[in-house]
DNA sequence: CCAAAAGTGTTTTCGCTACACCCATGA
DNA sequence: TCATGGGTGTAGCGAAAACACTTTTGG
């Protein structure tokens, strides 16, 4: 019989870096994606909400299915390590011999609102920058890569900026977010013009102070117009 | 325990219409998507290949996961009908009471190469035009709709023309395919120019004869350039 | 006062749109 | 011969790319 699990790639944006919320496993000293199993009367979406809620303290987050991972070898890819590290530890050793089919979800959250919370098997729950190359459980590194690819493709169809940024943000912050997801630089002036032409941002009177240079204006999303614009997709290729 | 099933939306293009390969069930007289269960040592992709092979006689087809359907109610949506129609018939009645999680795949095939083959539960295997409104099992109608939406979104990222058309095809045929997927008309001349500008087609010396009017040129995809172009996505919004 | 970041504007180029004319074919 | 579909070309417009100058800020 197949086990259905869920793995969540929770993205946050902080300090001009895209980060993923990961659990640091007590026994294997590796990082793992927050995950869990589907309960009998849940939809996958409800299960993913539950998993994300338990790690972030937040409810009703933006979540999207992006791929199912079903390679029978996937639960074995790290088996040697697991066997060694988990000997005599709490989880049942044979548990990891079973086959897992995992549905990948990605989630977009406001970094500052999250309270990272470890689970029973982990000693820490950390935001890990995508630049950091940490050791990860099973095929979780690959799952993150797939999530980013999806994010890139859906940049114009999903409310990515809205969900990842705080309510008030600056244009350079929004641009860096786009650049991070796309993996390439964008022209500052063209970016700003294009964004403003979408007519989905409200320019606020305030500026962001405290930076070392000229203080940028703050913007916020105009929810109504943003929602409407997304229905057709924000035209244009970045 | 959850059952994992697979449903395949097999698209073909014929007579200037987009069609789906469906099974006509013996007992319920409804149409059903070709589907099946995941075997223990298969990936989902391998299982989908197997399912599609059994219905079409073709191997190594283009297949793509597009969504997982996990609503606990989905196997019940047609339950009344099932209970009535299947009373006393072969499949175990309680079988359909269980919960099904189904992974949706779509496949793109060359219509002319397919040999539609029914399975044990069906008396026919038919190509059904998307315009026809036939009665369908469970939520299969909705699954087809989701497949088309995905197709539309991925029109510029997936080799949709290549897989759905025969090796040699005319520009009007390619255009009709695009129009069908997008659900709207396109300008004949602009379509041709844009397509040719992608530089992925080879114009052949031959023309297609037999039509009632001026004989159109035949084209074929230049595999090498097409493959390369798809990596970035064919830019532009149709 | 100066380096670095941010605000703003202009020119040019390219692609998309909208349209018109001619040609070939089988009925 | 003619209706229909298919091949091909062009003018105009708008969005995107490329690019420069000025302003603000903390150090």
């Amino acid at each position: 019989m197949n086990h259905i699990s869920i793995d969540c790639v929770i993205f946050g944006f902080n300090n001009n870096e895209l980060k993923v919320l990961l659990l640091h496993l007590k026994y294997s000293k590796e990082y793992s994606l927050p995950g869990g199993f589907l309960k009998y009367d849940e939809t996958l979406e409800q299960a993913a909400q539950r998993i994300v809620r338990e790690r972030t303290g937040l409810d009703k987050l933006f979540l999207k299915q992006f791929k199912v991972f079903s390679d029978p070898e996937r639960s074995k890819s790290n088996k040697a390590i697991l066997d060694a590290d988990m000997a005599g530890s709490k989880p049942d050793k044979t548990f990891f011999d079973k086959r897992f089919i995992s549905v990948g979800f990605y989630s977009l959250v406001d970094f500052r609102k999250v309270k990272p919370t470890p689970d029973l098997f982990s000693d820490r729950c950390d935001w890990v920058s995508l630049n950091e190359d940490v050791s990860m459980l099973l095929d979780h590194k690959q799952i993150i890569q797939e999530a980013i690819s999806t994010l890139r493709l859906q940049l114009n169809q999903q409310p990515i900026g809205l969900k990842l940024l705080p309510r008030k943000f600056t244009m350079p912050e929004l641009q860096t977010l786009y650049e991070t997801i796309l993996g390439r630089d964008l022209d500052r002036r063209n970016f700003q013009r294009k964004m403003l032409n979408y007519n989905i941002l409200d320019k606020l009177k305030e500026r962001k102070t405290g930076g070392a240079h000229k203080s940028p204006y703050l913007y916020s999303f105009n929810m109504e117009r943003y929602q409407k614009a997304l229905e057709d997709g924000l035209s244009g290729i970045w």
Side-chain angles (χ1 to χ4, degrees), chain A:
Chain A
M1 188 51 71
N2 300 303
H3 291 255
I4 298 180
S5 65
I6 290 168
D7 286 309
C8 297
V9 183
I10 305 171
F11 288 107
F13 191 65
N14 177 252
N15 199 21
N16 274 345
E17 282 183 311
L18 197 58
K19 296 176 181 175
V20 178
L21 192 65
L22 298 176
L23 294 167
H24 189 261
L25 299 175
K26 284 179 195 168
Y27 304 102
S28 71
K29 315 290 187 202
E30 291 173 307
Y31 277 106
S32 155
L33 289 171
F37 294 95
L38 183 64
K39 295 187 180 172
Y40 191 76
D41 58 351
E42 282 178 324
T43 65
L44 287 166
E45 283 70 19
Q46 287 162 350
Q49 284 289 356
R50 175 173 50 78
I51 290 164
V52 170
R53 187 188 334 114
E54 287 168 0
R55 296 302 128 244
T56 64
L58 301 176
D59 219 328
K60 295 181 187 168
L61 289 176
F62 178 85
L63 269 167
K64 208 159 160 57
Q65 240 187 68
F66 66 95
K67 186 164 181 182
V68 185
F69 298 85
S70 64
D71 185 346
E73 301 297 313
R74 65 180 292 272
S75 15
K76 294 172 191 158
S77 63
N78 255 353
K79 199 171 166 301
I81 301 170
L82 276 169
D83 281 347
D85 283 349
M86 298 186 69
S89 62
K90 276 180 195 163
D92 177 7
K93 242 186 93 173
T94 63
F95 185 72
F96 282 91
D97 283 337
K98 299 226 174 73
R99 178 185 183 175
F100 291 92
I101 290 170
S102 189
V103 182
F105 279 80
Y106 73 84
S107 182
L108 306 174
V109 305
D110 182 348
F111 182 92
R112 304 178 312 173
K113 291 186 179 166
V114 173
K115 290 186 188 52
T117 311
D119 64 10
L120 283 174
F121 304 105
S122 51
D123 49 18
R124 298 199 312 273
C125 185
D126 300 332
W127 284 107
V128 176
S129 166
L130 290 176
N131 305 320
E132 283 183 65
D133 187 32
V134 298
S135 167
M136 295 206 60
L137 184 70
L138 303 173
D139 55 354
H140 287 194
K141 205 173 273 188
Q142 182 203 334
I143 294 179
I144 294 176
Q145 283 311 311
E146 294 264 6
I148 295 169
S149 300
T150 307
L151 208 56
R152 192 172 297 160
L153 283 172
Q154 301 187 347
L155 194 53
N156 291 316
Q157 276 86 44
Q158 301 296 338
I160 289 176
L162 175 64
K163 298 292 178 181
L164 278 173
L165 292 169
R167 203 174 62 78
K168 299 174 182 180
F169 55 90
T170 68
M171 194 59 79
E173 284 167 351
L174 182 60
Q175 182 179 344
T176 308
L177 173 59
Y178 271 68
E179 287 176 335
T180 307
I181 293 173
L182 293 171
R184 62 191 174 85
D185 290 345
L186 301 170
D187 183 276
R188 193 165 55 86
R189 296 150 288 190
N190 293 335
F191 179 83
Q192 171 143 350
R193 180 162 357 119
K194 189 166 177 174
M195 262 305 159
L196 292 178
N197 277 343
Y198 285 147
N199 204 28
I200 55 175
L201 297 181
D202 291 329
K203 184 173 185 171
L204 307 180
K205 293 270 161 55
E206 311 166 64
R207 287 156 171 266
K208 177 169 191 166
T209 56
H213 308 289
K214 182 170 181 175
S215 47
Y217 282 100
L218 287 167
Y219 292 84
S220 65
F221 283 97
N222 182 308
M223 306 300 255
E224 195 183 338
R225 288 202 294 265
Y226 193 22
Q227 206 53 46
K228 196 181 279 182
L230 277 181
E231 285 169 21
D232 308 319
L234 301 170
S235 67
I237 315 287
W238 288 98

